[in-house]
Amino acid sequence: MTYYSDENCLFCKIIKGDIPSTKVYETETVYAFRDIEPQAPQHIIIIPKEHISSTNEINEENSALIGDVYAAAATIARIEGFADNGYRIVNNCGMDGGQTVGHIHFHLLAGRYLQWPPG
Ligand code: AMP
Ligand code: ZN
C-alpha cells in the first residue's frame, strides 16, 4: 500500500524507521509505539501511516483511517492487558489543543486511574 509521507515530519520518519521507536503494534495502515515521555504507566501513540497533519484535515476520503486507529487501540488494549480496567484515547488538535507534532496521533493512556477533566 502506498501512502503520502512528509519528509520533514517526525512521525513519518518514525514510520520509515529513520528515527527509532519502540513499536507496540502495526497494521498495513497504522503504526503504534511507546511515547518517549509517558504520562501514565502505559502511554502508546497510535498514528495512521498516511501523513495527515491534524483532525482539521479529516474528511470523507481519509476518515476510515481513524476507524483503523480505534481498531488498533482495541487490539492493543487486549494484547497489553488493560482492556478490562479501561483506558483513555486523546487527540490533541492545534495550539489550544496542545498538539506539538504535526502528524495526527492518538494517545492511548492506561495503567492508572485517569482524572477528569484534563487540564
Ligand atoms: P502532542 O503533544 O499531542 O502533539 O503529542 C506528541 C507526543 O509525542 C508527546 O507525548 C511526546 O512525548 C511524543 N513524542 C515526541 N517525540 C517522540 C519520539 N521520538 N518518540 C516517541 N514519542 C515522541
Ligand atoms: Zn507525518
Side-chain angles (χ1 to χ4, degrees):
M1 174 164 180
T2 51
Y3 44 83
Y4 172 69
S5 178
D6 180 337
E7 61 183 20
N8 297 312
C9 168
L10 174 67
F11 286 173
C12 283
K13 286 179 187 163
I14 283 181
I15 292 162
K16 276 197 236 145
D18 293 348
I19 290 177
S21 66
T22 306
K23 178 169 116 174
V24 175
Y25 183 71
E26 183 175 15
T27 71
E28 201 181 5
T29 57
V30 308
Y31 185 75
F33 56 100
R34 300 218 174 264
D35 197 290
I36 208 168
E37 249 181 80
Q39 303 300 317
Q42 292 265 22
H43 187 169
I44 295 156
I45 299 285
I46 310 174
I47 55 179
K49 289 181 179 176
E50 176 91 17
H51 179 85
I52 298 167
S53 48
S54 80
T55 296
N56 284 333
E57 278 67 51
I58 297 299
N59 55 44
E60 281 182 8
E61 250 126 65
N62 60 23
S63 61
L65 292 170
I66 306 308
D68 294 348
V69 165
Y70 270 76
T75 301
I76 293 165
R78 269 198 307 278
I79 292 170
E80 295 288 321
F82 55 76
D84 289 344
N85 278 357
Y87 50 91
R88 183 170 294 164
I89 298 169
V90 176
N91 166 241
N92 298 326
C93 181
M95 201 174 61
D96 280 0
Q99 182 178 4
T100 61
V101 178
H103 182 130
I104 193 170
H105 52 279
F106 295 78
H107 300 256
L108 175 58
L109 299 147
R112 66 171 169 83
Y113 179 78
L114 299 159
Q115 301 290 330
W116 188 263

